[in-house]
Amino acid sequence: MASFGNFTHAIVRGIPASLVQEALRSSLCQVDLVKAQHQLQLHIGTLKDELGLQVVELPADESLPDCVFVEDCAVVCGDTALITRPGAPSRRKETKAMKSALQELNFKIVEMKDDTATLDGGDVLFTGREFFVGLSKRTNHRGIEILAGAFKDYPVSTLPVFEGLHLKSFCSMAGPDLIAFGSSEPAQKTLKILQQTGDHHYKTLILPDDAAANCVFMNLSGKGQVLLHCTPEEYPNSAKVFERLTDHLLFPVPNSEMSKVDGGLSCCSVLISKTGS
Ligand code: CIR
């Protein structure tokens, strides 16, 4: 637990032009590709230049319009990397490049081979003590069972996702034992269940906007507690809540273009702790 969020590496992937027309989405908003690429570069620059992480950049693949959303392809914890079987069939081939990158980094690879199982990393909330996994449009019971088998050292609880794409479309870790949650009714319903089922009592940070509750927490040596969060331009009321956090080094990161195709801030990286490497 002391080392929760102590990341050293990040895996990211470029944005293919095909994202604009072909990425899966729940809205009709038009993505500005140049702006999306600029926002991703700012995000990667924060990880690399501001925070000193070693960033592995996988190339975009035009045949995989959603490939920038790397979070969905792997769950990494300790020395194990679970390669998922994404819920959307059009996204399944994204895992190949992710598996190679994690093999290069010497992780013990577990593959979700059962073709009845589905799981997206966006449904996986790791608190440092336990896993909560969203049962959503993309993740099913069998996927969660395989995750529990891959990470036997931690309890795994299932949470319902009543609305939206993933569990982390409306929540994420914002600090040690601090969970950010959106304030919509469906998000609050899931929070109640989390509080009843979890092994531990967590503090909560409630954000006016569900999407803003998807932030990225790290606890880095030399930097302390770090939080990447929404910008005041995108979510002014939620940004104010983050700005009141005095224990964190705060980095507002723009995400307006990815959010048009249902991507949160956390979806653009797989964060890895390889201490001693
Ligand atoms: C999808 O629908 O699969 C993508 N357009 C968005 C995935 C976002 N993933 C995430 O936030 N973990």
Side-chain angles (χ1 to χ4, degrees):
M1 184 61 206
S3 63
F4 176 63
N6 184 10
F7 299 116
T8 53
H9 293 63
I11 302 177
V12 300
R13 194 163 188 177
I15 305 175
S18 57
L19 174 133
V20 176
Q21 297 300 331
E22 294 164 45
L24 301 170
R25 71 193 76 204
S26 57
S27 84
L28 293 173
C29 294
Q30 180 72 14
V31 176
D32 177 333
L33 181 64
V34 173
K35 196 169 168 189
Q37 277 160 341
H38 177 66
Q39 291 182 340
L40 181 66
Q41 283 317 311
L42 287 174
H43 191 145
I44 295 173
T46 304
L47 299 176
K48 220 191 314 201
D49 308 327
E50 306 274 358
L51 301 176
L53 298 192
Q54 288 192 47
V55 179
V56 177
E57 296 186 47
L58 305 176
D61 182 332
E62 284 302 330
S63 70
L64 300 170
D66 283 297
C67 67
V68 64
F69 303 119
V70 286
E71 176 182 48
D72 295 321
C73 293
V75 179
V76 181
C77 185
D79 59 1
T80 301
L82 172 68
I83 306 300
T84 65
R85 185 166 182 275
S90 66
R91 299 198 56 193
R92 303 240 163 98
K93 288 192 178 141
E94 292 175 28
T95 56
K96 192 168 172 243
M98 179 57 66
K99 181 182 160 194
S100 305
L102 288 162
Q103 266 167 339
E104 288 266 304
L105 289 166
N106 292 321
F107 279 94
K108 183 182 136 210
I109 304 286
V110 178
E111 284 185 86
M112 202 168 263
K113 288 221 169 106
D114 182 334
D115 63 11
T116 67
T118 61
L119 184 129
D120 279 12
D123 278 313
V124 181
L125 178 72
F126 180 60
T127 69
R129 299 175 183 276
E130 58 189 316
F131 284 96
F132 292 101
V133 189
L135 197 54
S136 70
K137 294 183 188 98
R138 300 286 176 85
T139 295
N140 67 15
H141 283 291
R142 183 69 189 121
I144 300 174
E145 223 169 73
I146 293 173
L147 179 138
F151 301 109
K152 288 204 180 74
D153 291 346
Y154 296 99
V156 176
S157 304
T158 298
L159 292 177
V161 174
F162 297 107
E163 207 174 88
L165 184 59
H166 292 131
L167 175 64
K168 286 193 291 183
S169 303
F170 52 83
C171 71
S172 60
M173 295 311 288
D177 293 336
L178 176 67
I179 310 186
F181 249 90
S183 54
S184 73
E185 206 187 308
Q188 289 293 308
K189 249 168 82 181
T190 299
L191 171 59
K192 260 212 180 94
I193 299 167
L194 181 151
Q195 287 166 332
Q196 286 158 2
T197 53
D199 269 23
H200 183 77
H201 174 75
Y202 298 96
K203 289 169 279 169
T204 50
L205 181 74
I206 305 299
L207 282 313
D209 308 283
D210 278 6
N214 179 278
C215 54
V216 179
F217 170 73
M218 300 179 213
N219 191 358
L220 302 180
S221 58
K223 294 258 183 295
Q225 297 192 30
V226 170
L227 201 59
L228 273 54
H229 63 84
C230 65
T231 62
E233 290 73 28
E234 282 159 61
Y235 297 106
N237 296 329
S238 293
K240 278 193 199 122
V241 176
F242 287 115
E243 284 156 14
R244 280 188 225 117
L245 294 173
T246 49
D247 292 344
H248 295 63
L249 195 54
L250 298 173
F251 292 92
V253 177
N255 191 50
S256 63
E257 300 314 294
M258 304 295 192
S259 70
K260 291 176 183 169
V261 280
D262 304 330
L265 262 189
S266 69
C267 68
C268 295
S269 64
V270 170
L271 296 173
I272 291 169
S273 180
K274 277 196 80 70
T275 35
S277 64

